[in-house]
Amino acid sequence: MTILGTAHERGITTLTLDSPANRNALSARLVGELAQALTDCAKDDSVRAVVLTHTGSTFSAGADLKAPPNPYTFVALLRQIVTLPKPVVARVTGHVRAGGLGLLGACDIAAASSASDFAFPGVGIGVAPAVISLPLLERMDPRAAERYYLTGERFDAAEAARIGLLTLAADDVDAALGPVLEGLRKASAQGLAASKELLAARVLETFDRDAEDLVQRSASLFASPEAREGMTAFLERRDPAWVL
């Protein structure tokens, strides 16, 4: 049984994160299935663009703490989205946290319903949004990144669009994405690939320069006593020891 759904209509392949029981947490299995599906899309001439969406009330809650992917594998997935020669469009109608925000940052276009909300909860469990910064910091308003990285506050879709995390927010996300997808269908495959290569160049520079450092920094944080306390408190649904 897969935990990634696939559908195709008029040049648009939709990949659906379909593990609502754990809020589409980024497990090794889900990351692997998504990477394979993207590889298949890259090779398929009938695919003009990819839509990445979800079942349930959460796009993704971030890393699966019980079955996490290898961090290098997750970095490879983010880079794969950035370098895929076809546009990847995120469609969100729910909550997005942590690693899920990394997926949004890697996508070329990101749209969400007005009911969606977002947060960087790392500081609350003793870690930092290290690896997901690879695509995100190039997209987001620096002052907004400082606020939301440091406080872990939730923010809504309108704010996410204002600070560059989203391309657009709307009450009806499918209606809002209609003209976007039609534009992609009308574009040539060569034109899309060449345009995406131009747009991705600066993000890829960040991957080349910082990926190893951020993987090591993330590993060090997750192995720390403070993070162990934070993750234990999260799983036990209590405040960690440092809360004032």
Side-chain angles (χ1 to χ4, degrees), residues 73-240:
T73 304
F74 184 57
V75 168
L77 174 65
L78 296 179
R79 188 181 183 110
Q80 183 179 15
I81 295 171
V82 172
T83 59
L84 199 78
K86 303 172 184 190
V88 182
V89 179
R91 174 194 173 275
V92 176
T93 59
H95 313 298
V96 192
R97 301 290 184 267
L101 294 167
L103 292 181
L104 292 192
C107 290
D108 305 288
I109 296 169
S113 68
S114 300
S116 302
D117 61 44
F118 310 82
F120 295 92
V123 290
I125 61 168
V127 298
V131 170
I132 64 173
S133 291
L134 289 166
L136 280 173
L137 290 184
E138 191 63 41
R139 316 267 198 215
M140 290 180 64
D141 173 79
R143 280 300 192 188
E146 288 165 352
R147 173 179 177 175
Y148 294 118
Y149 271 38
L150 293 173
T151 67
E153 294 170 85
R154 294 184 186 183
F155 53 98
D156 63 18
E159 175 71 351
R162 185 191 73 80
I163 66 177
L165 178 63
L166 293 178
T167 310
L168 59 91
D171 291 339
D172 186 336
V173 69
D174 292 313
L177 277 176
V180 174
L181 298 183
E182 285 305 305
L184 296 176
R185 287 183 171 111
K186 293 176 181 178
S188 82
Q190 175 177 285
L192 288 173
S195 297
K196 179 164 177 175
E197 187 175 9
L198 290 171
L199 292 165
R202 290 178 62 182
V203 175
L204 288 176
E205 288 177 3
T206 302
F207 273 81
D208 292 340
R209 184 186 66 239
D210 298 335
E212 180 63 27
D213 173 65
L214 291 177
V215 166
Q216 294 301 325
R217 191 179 308 187
S218 178
S220 177
L221 286 168
F222 271 99
S224 68
E226 198 156 311
R228 284 196 292 274
E229 161 62 12
M231 288 185 284
T232 300
F234 173 79
L235 294 172
E236 294 177 352
R237 299 188 177 185
R238 61 172 174 82
D239 285 340

